[in-house]
Amino acid sequence: MIGWLLRTGKRWQYRGFKPGHIFDIRVDDMAFRMSFGDYRLSGAIIERIEGRREPSTVAIIKSLVHEGSHVLELGGCYGYFTMIMSRCAGESGRVVSIEGTPNNLRILENNLQLNVAGNVQTYNVFVTSRASEARFTPDERHPYGAISRLGGEVSESGDTVSVPAVRLSTFLEDIQFEPDHIFMDIE
């Protein structure tokens, strides 16, 4: 009951923010800005806004990723961990972020532009060997539907967005990238 009250109170605290609001995020000694598009501000997003999303993951990233590191990120989502890795890798490092969901890619790229994260390259590809593409409905926010449709026909009415499917080894060879670290936040 207490946990529910705390979560509800946090959502209530953020109720006045309009979609697309830009938040100033502080994670330990790092500061950056993020927007979450038109996503509802709840649980995991509020933890990101408050700079307290998965503190053990942040500690691991900060202990492993150093100036000049090359990081492959599978599942960039909104860019919270992307920004932390970008800051840790510094100007001489490189972060390659793969985000398969088109809606999340737009948010990720917007957040990278907000922070002028020039050491990050984003790719809208779907990592699988089961199909040549993944298909998303225009408003789809998670990969679950696309995963269930891999290699099959799309049964929903309306338009779909096609995202190329790649084998990871071939993709890395194509972009000539050899990561020092691989970070995965995927389904």
Side-chain angles (χ1 to χ4, degrees):
M1 179 68 164
I2 292 173
W4 178 84
L5 286 172
L6 290 173
R7 286 189 304 276
T8 302
K10 284 291 183 187
R11 281 193 296 263
W12 184 257
Q13 176 183 341
Y14 288 95
R15 76 189 181 288
F17 291 99
K18 303 239 184 287
H21 181 84
I22 298 170
F23 293 92
D24 292 314
I25 312 291
R26 186 159 210 44
V27 180
D28 301 332
D29 58 342
M30 296 178 195
F32 50 91
R33 302 173 71 195
M34 291 187 77
S35 173
F36 299 93
D38 64 349
Y39 279 71
R40 200 179 98 222
L41 302 180
S42 63
I45 290 178
I46 291 171
E47 288 177 356
R48 287 174 174 94
I49 293 168
E50 295 179 349
R52 57 182 180 82
R53 179 76 177 156
E54 297 182 33
S56 57
T57 302
V58 171
I60 291 168
I61 290 169
K62 289 175 74 174
S63 70
L64 294 175
V65 179
H66 301 287
E67 181 74 35
S69 291
H70 287 188
V71 182
L72 172 64
E73 177 184 39
L74 302 173
C77 197
Y78 318 117
Y80 179 78
F81 293 120
T82 315
M83 284 308 307
I84 294 168
M85 289 183 277
S86 171
R87 293 289 204 270
C88 290
E91 290 181 22
S92 64
R94 184 174 167 199
V95 177
V96 168
S97 182
I98 293 175
E99 177 51 55
T101 308
N103 281 332
N104 288 350
L105 180 75
R106 282 189 288 281
I107 294 170
L108 169 63
E109 288 180 336
N110 178 61
N111 286 330
L112 294 172
Q113 287 177 349
L114 282 173
N115 294 284
V116 192
N119 65 343
V120 180
Q121 294 171 293
T122 60
Y123 293 89
N124 189 204
V125 295
F126 206 82
V127 178
T128 183
S129 60
R130 292 179 40 203
S132 62
E133 67 180 13
R135 301 206 52 89
F136 289 85
T137 59
D139 60 344
E140 209 160 9
R141 296 171 180 243
H142 301 284
Y144 308 115
I147 291 169
S148 70
R149 292 187 293 272
L150 283 176
E153 293 296 317
V154 178
S155 61
E156 292 89 5
S157 60
D159 295 331
T160 59
V161 177
S162 176
V163 174
V166 298
R167 290 180 182 264
L168 189 55
S169 57
T170 304
F171 172 78
L172 292 174
E173 188 175 294
D174 288 347
I175 67 167
Q176 299 179 347
F177 184 67
E178 202 171 301
D180 301 315
H181 307 285
I182 299 174
F183 178 81
M184 295 187 295
D185 190 1
I186 56 175
E187 279 60 43

